[in-house]
PDB file of all heavy atoms in Angstrom:
ATOM      1  N   GLU A  21      13.091  72.127 -50.222  1.00 96.00           N
ATOM      2  CA  GLU A  21      12.928  70.651 -50.649  1.00 96.00           C
ATOM      3  C   GLU A  21      14.066  69.745 -49.981  1.00 96.00           C
ATOM      4  O   GLU A  21      15.275  70.260 -50.067  1.00 96.00           O
ATOM      5  CB  GLU A  21      12.894  70.390 -52.075  1.00 96.00           C
ATOM      6  CG  GLU A  21      12.753  69.016 -52.495  1.00 96.00           C
ATOM      7  CD  GLU A  21      12.928  68.914 -54.057  1.00 96.00           C
ATOM      8  OE1 GLU A  21      12.006  69.277 -54.750  1.00 96.00           O
ATOM      9  OE2 GLU A  21      13.978  68.412 -54.505  1.00 96.00           O
ATOM     10  N   LYS A  22      13.800  68.609 -49.436  1.00 97.00           N
ATOM     11  CA  LYS A  22      14.838  67.747 -49.076  1.00 97.00           C
ATOM     12  C   LYS A  22      14.659  66.300 -49.799  1.00 97.00           C
ATOM     13  O   LYS A  22      13.631  66.124 -50.354  1.00 97.00           O
ATOM     14  CB  LYS A  22      14.639  67.421 -47.583  1.00 97.00           C
ATOM     15  CG  LYS A  22      14.817  68.681 -46.731  1.00 97.00           C
ATOM     16  CD  LYS A  22      14.741  68.441 -45.159  1.00 97.00           C
ATOM     17  CE  LYS A  22      14.948  69.685 -44.339  1.00 97.00           C
ATOM     18  NZ  LYS A  22      16.221  70.440 -44.650  1.00 97.00           N
ATOM     19  N   PRO A  23      15.678  65.538 -49.790  1.00 98.00           N
ATOM     20  CA  PRO A  23      15.612  64.242 -50.584  1.00 98.00           C
ATOM     21  C   PRO A  23      14.675  63.236 -49.938  1.00 98.00           C
ATOM     22  O   PRO A  23      15.167  62.234 -49.186  1.00 98.00           O
ATOM     23  CB  PRO A  23      17.071  63.727 -50.600  1.00 98.00           C
ATOM     24  CG  PRO A  23      17.785  64.342 -49.348  1.00 98.00           C
ATOM     25  CD  PRO A  23      17.000  65.669 -49.089  1.00 98.00           C
ATOM     26  N   ILE A  24      13.434  63.480 -49.965  1.00 98.00           N
ATOM     27  CA  ILE A  24      12.355  62.622 -49.264  1.00 98.00           C
ATOM     28  C   ILE A  24      11.309  62.206 -50.207  1.00 98.00           C
ATOM     29  O   ILE A  24      10.803  63.069 -51.029  1.00 98.00           O
ATOM     30  CB  ILE A  24      11.663  63.410 -48.088  1.00 98.00           C
ATOM     31  CG1 ILE A  24      12.741  63.586 -46.946  1.00 98.00           C
ATOM     32  CG2 ILE A  24      10.457  62.655 -47.574  1.00 98.00           C
ATOM     33  CD1 ILE A  24      12.290  64.537 -45.803  1.00 98.00           C
ATOM     34  N   VAL A  25      11.094  61.003 -50.363  1.00 98.00           N
ATOM     35  CA  VAL A  25       9.828  60.475 -50.969  1.00 98.00           C
ATOM     36  C   VAL A  25       8.827  60.163 -49.870  1.00 98.00           C
ATOM     37  O   VAL A  25       9.115  59.474 -48.914  1.00 98.00           O
ATOM     38  CB  VAL A  25      10.167  59.058 -51.679  1.00 98.00           C
ATOM     39  CG1 VAL A  25       8.854  58.513 -52.210  1.00 98.00           C
ATOM     40  CG2 VAL A  25      11.119  59.164 -52.774  1.00 98.00           C
ATOM     41  N   LEU A  26       7.688  60.972 -49.944  1.00 98.00           N
ATOM     42  CA  LEU A  26       6.653  60.879 -48.942  1.00 98.00           C
ATOM     43  C   LEU A  26       5.522  60.116 -49.339  1.00 98.00           C
ATOM     44  O   LEU A  26       5.061  60.109 -50.470  1.00 98.00           O
ATOM     45  CB  LEU A  26       6.228  62.330 -48.645  1.00 98.00           C
ATOM     46  CG  LEU A  26       5.132  62.402 -47.463  1.00 98.00           C
ATOM     47  CD1 LEU A  26       5.737  62.103 -46.205  1.00 98.00           C
ATOM     48  CD2 LEU A  26       4.591  63.801 -47.481  1.00 98.00           C
ATOM     49  N   HIS A  27       5.045  59.245 -48.409  1.00 98.00           N
ATOM     50  CA  HIS A  27       3.862  58.321 -48.597  1.00 98.00           C
ATOM     51  C   HIS A  27       2.964  58.606 -47.430  1.00 98.00           C
ATOM     52  O   HIS A  27       3.256  58.436 -46.216  1.00 98.00           O
ATOM     53  CB  HIS A  27       4.324  56.859 -48.654  1.00 98.00           C
ATOM     54  CG  HIS A  27       3.173  55.958 -48.743  1.00 98.00           C
ATOM     55  ND1 HIS A  27       2.322  55.991 -49.802  1.00 98.00           N
ATOM     56  CD2 HIS A  27       2.809  54.925 -48.070  1.00 98.00           C
ATOM     57  CE1 HIS A  27       1.436  54.997 -49.701  1.00 98.00           C
ATOM     58  NE2 HIS A  27       1.685  54.329 -48.607  1.00 98.00           N
ATOM     59  N   VAL A  28       1.734  59.124 -47.640  1.00 98.00           N
ATOM     60  CA  VAL A  28       0.635  59.410 -46.690  1.00 98.00           C
ATOM     61  C   VAL A  28      -0.483  58.458 -46.918  1.00 98.00           C
ATOM     62  O   VAL A  28      -1.216  58.633 -47.842  1.00 98.00           O
ATOM     63  CB  VAL A  28       0.232  60.942 -46.825  1.00 98.00           C
ATOM     64  CG1 VAL A  28      -0.852  61.141 -45.694  1.00 98.00           C
ATOM     65  CG2 VAL A  28       1.450  61.820 -46.636  1.00 98.00           C
ATOM     66  N   ALA A  29      -0.689  57.656 -45.917  1.00 96.00           N
ATOM     67  CA  ALA A  29      -1.699  56.596 -46.187  1.00 96.00           C
ATOM     68  C   ALA A  29      -2.047  55.781 -44.942  1.00 96.00           C
ATOM     69  O   ALA A  29      -1.170  55.572 -44.064  1.00 96.00           O
ATOM     70  CB  ALA A  29      -1.327  55.522 -47.264  1.00 96.00           C
ATOM     71  N   ARG A  30      -3.316  55.384 -44.742  1.00 95.00           N
ATOM     72  CA  ARG A  30      -3.591  54.347 -43.674  1.00 95.00           C
ATOM     73  C   ARG A  30      -2.969  53.120 -44.253  1.00 95.00           C
ATOM     74  O   ARG A  30      -3.033  52.789 -45.464  1.00 95.00           O
ATOM     75  CB  ARG A  30      -5.049  54.209 -43.624  1.00 95.00           C
ATOM     76  CG  ARG A  30      -5.416  53.131 -42.666  1.00 95.00           C
ATOM     77  CD  ARG A  30      -6.897  53.336 -42.158  1.00 95.00           C
ATOM     78  NE  ARG A  30      -7.474  52.052 -41.699  1.00 95.00           N
ATOM     79  CZ  ARG A  30      -7.172  51.586 -40.467  1.00 95.00           C
ATOM     80  NH1 ARG A  30      -6.347  52.152 -39.671  1.00 95.00           N
ATOM     81  NH2 ARG A  30      -7.761  50.421 -40.097  1.00 95.00           N
ATOM     82  N   LEU A  31      -2.415  52.207 -43.391  1.00 97.00           N
ATOM     83  CA  LEU A  31      -1.522  51.118 -43.790  1.00 97.00           C
ATOM     84  C   LEU A  31      -2.441  49.940 -43.891  1.00 97.00           C
ATOM     85  O   LEU A  31      -2.519  48.990 -43.066  1.00 97.00           O
ATOM     86  CB  LEU A  31      -0.420  50.890 -42.836  1.00 97.00           C
ATOM     87  CG  LEU A  31       0.614  52.129 -42.759  1.00 97.00           C
ATOM     88  CD1 LEU A  31       1.749  51.778 -41.731  1.00 97.00           C
ATOM     89  CD2 LEU A  31       1.090  52.553 -44.026  1.00 97.00           C
ATOM     90  N   VAL A  32      -3.242  49.938 -45.037  1.00 97.00           N
ATOM     91  CA  VAL A  32      -4.076  48.890 -45.442  1.00 97.00           C
ATOM     92  C   VAL A  32      -3.722  48.422 -46.753  1.00 97.00           C
ATOM     93  O   VAL A  32      -2.937  49.126 -47.525  1.00 97.00           O
ATOM     94  CB  VAL A  32      -5.525  49.327 -45.265  1.00 97.00           C
ATOM     95  CG1 VAL A  32      -6.002  49.588 -43.872  1.00 97.00           C
ATOM     96  CG2 VAL A  32      -5.833  50.527 -46.136  1.00 97.00           C
ATOM     97  N   GLU A  33      -4.129  47.327 -47.256  1.00 97.00           N
ATOM     98  CA  GLU A  33      -3.874  46.709 -48.562  1.00 97.00           C
ATOM     99  C   GLU A  33      -4.017  47.693 -49.725  1.00 97.00           C
ATOM    100  O   GLU A  33      -3.153  47.850 -50.571  1.00 97.00           O
ATOM    101  CB  GLU A  33      -4.603  45.484 -48.911  1.00 97.00           C
ATOM    102  CG  GLU A  33      -4.246  44.762 -50.090  1.00 97.00           C
ATOM    103  CD  GLU A  33      -5.074  43.585 -50.482  1.00 97.00           C
ATOM    104  OE1 GLU A  33      -6.053  43.296 -49.720  1.00 97.00           O
ATOM    105  OE2 GLU A  33      -4.957  42.965 -51.551  1.00 97.00           O
ATOM    106  N   LYS A  34      -5.112  48.350 -49.779  1.00 96.00           N
ATOM    107  CA  LYS A  34      -5.419  49.193 -50.998  1.00 96.00           C
ATOM    108  C   LYS A  34      -4.494  50.352 -51.139  1.00 96.00           C
ATOM    109  O   LYS A  34      -4.353  50.906 -52.291  1.00 96.00           O
ATOM    110  CB  LYS A  34      -6.809  49.665 -50.953  1.00 96.00           C
ATOM    111  CG  LYS A  34      -7.129  50.785 -49.899  1.00 96.00           C
ATOM    112  CD  LYS A  34      -8.555  51.303 -50.015  1.00 96.00           C
ATOM    113  CE  LYS A  34      -8.899  52.301 -48.961  1.00 96.00           C
ATOM    114  NZ  LYS A  34     -10.354  52.671 -49.096  1.00 96.00           N
ATOM    115  N   LYS A  35      -3.704  50.791 -50.155  1.00 97.00           N
ATOM    116  CA  LYS A  35      -2.739  51.948 -50.181  1.00 97.00           C
ATOM    117  C   LYS A  35      -1.571  51.555 -51.005  1.00 97.00           C
ATOM    118  O   LYS A  35      -0.727  52.415 -51.429  1.00 97.00           O
ATOM    119  CB  LYS A  35      -2.485  52.423 -48.850  1.00 97.00           C
ATOM    120  CG  LYS A  35      -3.669  53.019 -48.212  1.00 97.00           C
ATOM    121  CD  LYS A  35      -4.278  54.190 -48.901  1.00 97.00           C
ATOM    122  CE  LYS A  35      -5.461  54.833 -48.157  1.00 97.00           C
ATOM    123  NZ  LYS A  35      -5.940  56.067 -48.865  1.00 97.00           N
ATOM    124  N   GLY A  36      -1.245  50.276 -51.157  1.00 98.00           N
ATOM    125  CA  GLY A  36      -0.125  49.792 -52.055  1.00 98.00           C
ATOM    126  C   GLY A  36       1.189  50.092 -51.432  1.00 98.00           C
ATOM    127  O   GLY A  36       2.278  50.213 -52.133  1.00 98.00           O
ATOM    128  N   THR A  37       1.350  50.197 -50.133  1.00 98.00           N
ATOM    129  CA  THR A  37       2.594  50.624 -49.448  1.00 98.00           C
ATOM    130  C   THR A  37       3.664  49.578 -49.684  1.00 98.00           C
ATOM    131  O   THR A  37       4.838  49.857 -49.819  1.00 98.00           O
ATOM    132  CB  THR A  37       2.342  50.729 -47.968  1.00 98.00           C
ATOM    133  OG1 THR A  37       1.207  51.675 -47.732  1.00 98.00           O
ATOM    134  CG2 THR A  37       3.627  51.319 -47.242  1.00 98.00           C
ATOM    135  N   GLU A  38       3.281  48.324 -49.724  1.00 98.00           N
ATOM    136  CA  GLU A  38       4.216  47.169 -49.887  1.00 98.00           C
ATOM    137  C   GLU A  38       4.926  47.407 -51.267  1.00 98.00           C
ATOM    138  O   GLU A  38       6.197  47.199 -51.331  1.00 98.00           O
ATOM    139  CB  GLU A  38       3.532  45.840 -49.980  1.00 98.00           C
ATOM    140  CG  GLU A  38       4.421  44.620 -50.350  1.00 98.00           C
ATOM    141  CD  GLU A  38       3.666  43.328 -50.610  1.00 98.00           C
ATOM    142  OE1 GLU A  38       2.455  43.312 -50.169  1.00 98.00           O
ATOM    143  OE2 GLU A  38       4.192  42.521 -51.255  1.00 98.00           O
ATOM    144  N   TYR A  39       4.171  47.779 -52.275  1.00 98.00           N
ATOM    145  CA  TYR A  39       4.816  47.941 -53.563  1.00 98.00           C
ATOM    146  C   TYR A  39       5.594  49.109 -53.669  1.00 98.00           C
ATOM    147  O   TYR A  39       6.692  49.115 -54.464  1.00 98.00           O
ATOM    148  CB  TYR A  39       3.735  47.915 -54.692  1.00 98.00           C
ATOM    149  CG  TYR A  39       2.845  46.790 -54.529  1.00 98.00           C
ATOM    150  CD1 TYR A  39       1.535  46.881 -53.904  1.00 98.00           C
ATOM    151  CD2 TYR A  39       3.247  45.446 -54.999  1.00 98.00           C
ATOM    152  CE1 TYR A  39       0.745  45.703 -53.748  1.00 98.00           C
ATOM    153  CE2 TYR A  39       2.432  44.325 -54.866  1.00 98.00           C
ATOM    154  CZ  TYR A  39       1.202  44.493 -54.238  1.00 98.00           C
ATOM    155  OH  TYR A  39       0.446  43.346 -54.083  1.00 98.00           O
ATOM    156  N   LEU A  40       5.394  50.232 -52.965  1.00 98.00           N
ATOM    157  CA  LEU A  40       6.311  51.302 -52.882  1.00 98.00           C
ATOM    158  C   LEU A  40       7.580  51.030 -52.203  1.00 98.00           C
ATOM    159  O   LEU A  40       8.651  51.329 -52.644  1.00 98.00           O
ATOM    160  CB  LEU A  40       5.587  52.454 -52.068  1.00 98.00           C
ATOM    161  CG  LEU A  40       6.496  53.695 -51.838  1.00 98.00           C
ATOM    162  CD1 LEU A  40       6.933  54.336 -53.109  1.00 98.00           C
ATOM    163  CD2 LEU A  40       5.587  54.692 -50.989  1.00 98.00           C
ATOM    164  N   ILE A  41       7.520  50.156 -51.132  1.00 98.00           N
ATOM    165  CA  ILE A  41       8.702  49.783 -50.457  1.00 98.00           C
ATOM    166  C   ILE A  41       9.602  48.916 -51.358  1.00 98.00           C
ATOM    167  O   ILE A  41      10.744  49.110 -51.504  1.00 98.00           O
ATOM    168  CB  ILE A  41       8.492  49.007 -49.230  1.00 98.00           C
ATOM    169  CG1 ILE A  41       7.732  49.883 -48.123  1.00 98.00           C
ATOM    170  CG2 ILE A  41       9.636  48.273 -48.587  1.00 98.00           C
ATOM    171  CD1 ILE A  41       7.188  49.200 -46.859  1.00 98.00           C
ATOM    172  N   ARG A  42       8.940  48.018 -52.135  1.00 98.00           N
ATOM    173  CA  ARG A  42       9.687  47.084 -52.998  1.00 98.00           C
ATOM    174  C   ARG A  42      10.303  47.932 -54.263  1.00 98.00           C
ATOM    175  O   ARG A  42      11.402  47.635 -54.715  1.00 98.00           O
ATOM    176  CB  ARG A  42       8.731  46.031 -53.580  1.00 98.00           C
ATOM    177  CG  ARG A  42       8.350  45.034 -52.568  1.00 98.00           C
ATOM    178  CD  ARG A  42       7.522  43.900 -53.128  1.00 98.00           C
ATOM    179  NE  ARG A  42       7.053  43.015 -52.049  1.00 98.00           N
ATOM    180  CZ  ARG A  42       7.836  42.084 -51.401  1.00 98.00           C
ATOM    181  NH1 ARG A  42       9.011  41.881 -51.877  1.00 98.00           N
ATOM    182  NH2 ARG A  42       7.306  41.209 -50.500  1.00 98.00           N
ATOM    183  N   ALA A  43       9.598  48.929 -54.567  1.00 98.00           N
ATOM    184  CA  ALA A  43      10.132  49.884 -55.699  1.00 98.00           C
ATOM    185  C   ALA A  43      11.387  50.659 -55.141  1.00 98.00           C
ATOM    186  O   ALA A  43      12.244  50.908 -55.863  1.00 98.00           O
ATOM    187  CB  ALA A  43       9.056  50.788 -56.216  1.00 98.00           C
ATOM    188  N   PHE A  44      11.150  51.153 -53.891  1.00 98.00           N
ATOM    189  CA  PHE A  44      12.205  51.929 -53.234  1.00 98.00           C
ATOM    190  C   PHE A  44      13.505  51.105 -53.125  1.00 98.00           C
ATOM    191  O   PHE A  44      14.533  51.700 -53.353  1.00 98.00           O
ATOM    192  CB  PHE A  44      11.692  52.457 -51.917  1.00 98.00           C
ATOM    193  CG  PHE A  44      12.697  53.479 -51.325  1.00 98.00           C
ATOM    194  CD1 PHE A  44      12.733  54.798 -51.672  1.00 98.00           C
ATOM    195  CD2 PHE A  44      13.497  53.131 -50.344  1.00 98.00           C
ATOM    196  CE1 PHE A  44      13.592  55.765 -51.200  1.00 98.00           C
ATOM    197  CE2 PHE A  44      14.416  54.115 -49.770  1.00 98.00           C
ATOM    198  CZ  PHE A  44      14.441  55.341 -50.193  1.00 98.00           C
ATOM    199  N   VAL A  45      13.416  49.953 -52.895  1.00 98.00           N
ATOM    200  CA  VAL A  45      14.537  49.060 -52.730  1.00 98.00           C
ATOM    201  C   VAL A  45      15.371  49.027 -54.029  1.00 98.00           C
ATOM    202  O   VAL A  45      16.602  49.057 -54.137  1.00 98.00           O
ATOM    203  CB  VAL A  45      14.155  47.555 -52.520  1.00 98.00           C
ATOM    204  CG1 VAL A  45      15.322  46.593 -52.654  1.00 98.00           C
ATOM    205  CG2 VAL A  45      13.544  47.464 -51.096  1.00 98.00           C
ATOM    206  N   LYS A  46      14.634  49.021 -55.137  1.00 98.00           N
ATOM    207  CA  LYS A  46      15.325  48.971 -56.493  1.00 98.00           C
ATOM    208  C   LYS A  46      16.130  50.376 -56.794  1.00 98.00           C
ATOM    209  O   LYS A  46      16.932  50.340 -57.650  1.00 98.00           O
ATOM    210  CB  LYS A  46      14.232  48.796 -57.615  1.00 98.00           C
ATOM    211  CG  LYS A  46      13.420  47.508 -57.485  1.00 98.00           C
ATOM    212  CD  LYS A  46      12.325  47.423 -58.536  1.00 98.00           C
ATOM    213  CE  LYS A  46      11.569  46.131 -58.458  1.00 98.00           C
ATOM    214  NZ  LYS A  46      12.376  44.923 -58.511  1.00 98.00           N
ATOM    215  N   ILE A  47      15.764  51.488 -56.120  1.00 98.00           N
ATOM    216  CA  ILE A  47      16.525  52.682 -56.400  1.00 98.00           C
ATOM    217  C   ILE A  47      17.327  53.217 -55.299  1.00 98.00           C
ATOM    218  O   ILE A  47      18.085  54.200 -55.316  1.00 98.00           O
ATOM    219  CB  ILE A  47      15.464  53.801 -56.761  1.00 98.00           C
ATOM    220  CG1 ILE A  47      14.595  54.195 -55.611  1.00 98.00           C
ATOM    221  CG2 ILE A  47      14.601  53.437 -58.022  1.00 98.00           C
ATOM    222  CD1 ILE A  47      13.727  55.425 -55.837  1.00 98.00           C
ATOM    223  N   SER A  48      17.296  52.435 -54.129  1.00 97.00           N
ATOM    224  CA  SER A  48      17.985  52.886 -52.986  1.00 97.00           C
ATOM    225  C   SER A  48      19.564  53.034 -53.172  1.00 97.00           C
ATOM    226  O   SER A  48      20.137  53.932 -52.621  1.00 97.00           O
ATOM    227  CB  SER A  48      17.690  52.028 -51.852  1.00 97.00           C
ATOM    228  OG  SER A  48      18.045  50.719 -52.025  1.00 97.00           O
ATOM    229  N   ASP A  49      20.176  52.175 -53.967  1.00 96.00           N
ATOM    230  CA  ASP A  49      21.606  52.245 -54.182  1.00 96.00           C
ATOM    231  C   ASP A  49      22.004  53.429 -54.925  1.00 96.00           C
ATOM    232  O   ASP A  49      22.960  54.056 -54.774  1.00 96.00           O
ATOM    233  CB  ASP A  49      22.123  50.957 -54.913  1.00 96.00           C
ATOM    234  CG  ASP A  49      22.137  49.768 -54.005  1.00 96.00           C
ATOM    235  OD1 ASP A  49      22.066  49.858 -52.737  1.00 96.00           O
ATOM    236  OD2 ASP A  49      22.162  48.606 -54.512  1.00 96.00           O
ATOM    237  N   ASP A  50      21.094  53.848 -55.853  1.00 98.00           N
ATOM    238  CA  ASP A  50      21.381  55.033 -56.750  1.00 98.00           C
ATOM    239  C   ASP A  50      21.208  56.286 -55.959  1.00 98.00           C
ATOM    240  O   ASP A  50      21.749  57.351 -56.353  1.00 98.00           O
ATOM    241  CB  ASP A  50      20.520  55.001 -57.960  1.00 98.00           C
ATOM    242  CG  ASP A  50      20.928  53.888 -59.001  1.00 98.00           C
ATOM    243  OD1 ASP A  50      21.949  53.402 -58.784  1.00 98.00           O
ATOM    244  OD2 ASP A  50      20.079  53.639 -59.846  1.00 98.00           O
ATOM    245  N   PHE A  51      20.284  56.173 -54.873  1.00 98.00           N
ATOM    246  CA  PHE A  51      20.000  57.435 -54.102  1.00 98.00           C
ATOM    247  C   PHE A  51      20.176  57.227 -52.638  1.00 98.00           C
ATOM    248  O   PHE A  51      19.223  57.076 -51.960  1.00 98.00           O
ATOM    249  CB  PHE A  51      18.543  57.928 -54.372  1.00 98.00           C
ATOM    250  CG  PHE A  51      18.270  58.281 -55.881  1.00 98.00           C
ATOM    251  CD1 PHE A  51      17.749  57.337 -56.707  1.00 98.00           C
ATOM    252  CD2 PHE A  51      18.719  59.470 -56.365  1.00 98.00           C
ATOM    253  CE1 PHE A  51      17.486  57.736 -58.006  1.00 98.00           C
ATOM    254  CE2 PHE A  51      18.370  59.779 -57.693  1.00 98.00           C
ATOM    255  CZ  PHE A  51      17.822  58.861 -58.599  1.00 98.00           C
ATOM    256  N   PRO A  52      21.407  56.989 -52.175  1.00 97.00           N
ATOM    257  CA  PRO A  52      21.614  56.542 -50.895  1.00 97.00           C
ATOM    258  C   PRO A  52      21.194  57.643 -49.753  1.00 97.00           C
ATOM    259  O   PRO A  52      21.047  57.261 -48.681  1.00 97.00           O
ATOM    260  CB  PRO A  52      23.180  56.403 -50.794  1.00 97.00           C
ATOM    261  CG  PRO A  52      23.698  57.114 -51.951  1.00 97.00           C
ATOM    262  CD  PRO A  52      22.674  57.100 -52.996  1.00 97.00           C
ATOM    263  N   ASP A  53      21.081  58.848 -50.174  1.00 97.00           N
ATOM    264  CA  ASP A  53      20.663  59.926 -49.313  1.00 97.00           C
ATOM    265  C   ASP A  53      19.238  60.258 -49.258  1.00 97.00           C
ATOM    266  O   ASP A  53      18.685  60.959 -48.428  1.00 97.00           O
ATOM    267  CB  ASP A  53      21.371  61.345 -49.662  1.00 97.00           C
ATOM    268  CG  ASP A  53      22.874  61.168 -49.589  1.00 97.00           C
ATOM    269  OD1 ASP A  53      23.396  60.466 -48.695  1.00 97.00           O
ATOM    270  OD2 ASP A  53      23.567  61.865 -50.331  1.00 97.00           O
ATOM    271  N   VAL A  54      18.431  59.545 -50.204  1.00 98.00           N
ATOM    272  CA  VAL A  54      16.999  59.684 -50.186  1.00 98.00           C
ATOM    273  C   VAL A  54      16.295  58.812 -49.105  1.00 98.00           C
ATOM    274  O   VAL A  54      16.663  57.700 -48.929  1.00 98.00           O
ATOM    275  CB  VAL A  54      16.413  59.374 -51.610  1.00 98.00           C
ATOM    276  CG1 VAL A  54      14.940  59.407 -51.544  1.00 98.00           C
ATOM    277  CG2 VAL A  54      16.961  60.361 -52.701  1.00 98.00           C
ATOM    278  N   GLU A  55      15.400  59.418 -48.571  1.00 98.00           N
ATOM    279  CA  GLU A  55      14.657  58.637 -47.423  1.00 98.00           C
ATOM    280  C   GLU A  55      13.177  58.504 -47.984  1.00 98.00           C
ATOM    281  O   GLU A  55      12.588  59.404 -48.647  1.00 98.00           O
ATOM    282  CB  GLU A  55      14.563  59.367 -46.136  1.00 98.00           C
ATOM    283  CG  GLU A  55      15.914  59.652 -45.427  1.00 98.00           C
ATOM    284  CD  GLU A  55      15.897  60.526 -44.280  1.00 98.00           C
ATOM    285  OE1 GLU A  55      15.026  61.450 -44.239  1.00 98.00           O
ATOM    286  OE2 GLU A  55      16.616  60.204 -43.429  1.00 98.00           O
ATOM    287  N   LEU A  56      12.550  57.439 -47.478  1.00 98.00           N
ATOM    288  CA  LEU A  56      11.143  57.084 -47.684  1.00 98.00           C
ATOM    289  C   LEU A  56      10.463  57.254 -46.461  1.00 98.00           C
ATOM    290  O   LEU A  56      10.739  56.561 -45.377  1.00 98.00           O
ATOM    291  CB  LEU A  56      10.905  55.716 -48.284  1.00 98.00           C
ATOM    292  CG  LEU A  56       9.413  55.252 -48.242  1.00 98.00           C
ATOM    293  CD1 LEU A  56       8.550  56.072 -49.221  1.00 98.00           C
ATOM    294  CD2 LEU A  56       9.312  53.768 -48.807  1.00 98.00           C
ATOM    295  N   VAL A  57       9.603  58.281 -46.356  1.00 98.00           N
ATOM    296  CA  VAL A  57       8.918  58.737 -45.032  1.00 98.00           C
ATOM    297  C   VAL A  57       7.450  58.315 -45.217  1.00 98.00           C
ATOM    298  O   VAL A  57       6.761  58.730 -46.153  1.00 98.00           O
ATOM    299  CB  VAL A  57       8.981  60.239 -44.732  1.00 98.00           C
ATOM    300  CG1 VAL A  57       8.210  60.557 -43.591  1.00 98.00           C
ATOM    301  CG2 VAL A  57      10.518  60.548 -44.523  1.00 98.00           C
TER     302      VAL A  57
END
């Protein structure tokens, strides 16, 4: 395992990718080594 949050989705509205990015922003300072792929 590596410090990766994985998101597998076609980039359309129903996949909620925007909300994942906004949520990731909120935790990025606490986990500077974690990547969102």
Side-chain angles (χ1 to χ4, degrees):
E21 177 189 290
K22 297 184 182 301
I24 292 172
V25 174
L26 182 64
H27 179 58
V28 180
R30 177 163 159 73
L31 301 182
V32 294
E33 183 186 356
K34 71 177 177 181
K35 295 298 183 176
T37 311
E38 173 191 343
Y39 305 100
L40 175 57
I41 292 169
R42 294 184 182 279
F44 188 77
V45 170
K46 297 176 185 297
I47 64 170
S48 58
D49 286 344
D50 289 345
F51 301 97
D53 295 329
V54 173
E55 299 177 326
L56 172 59
V57 174

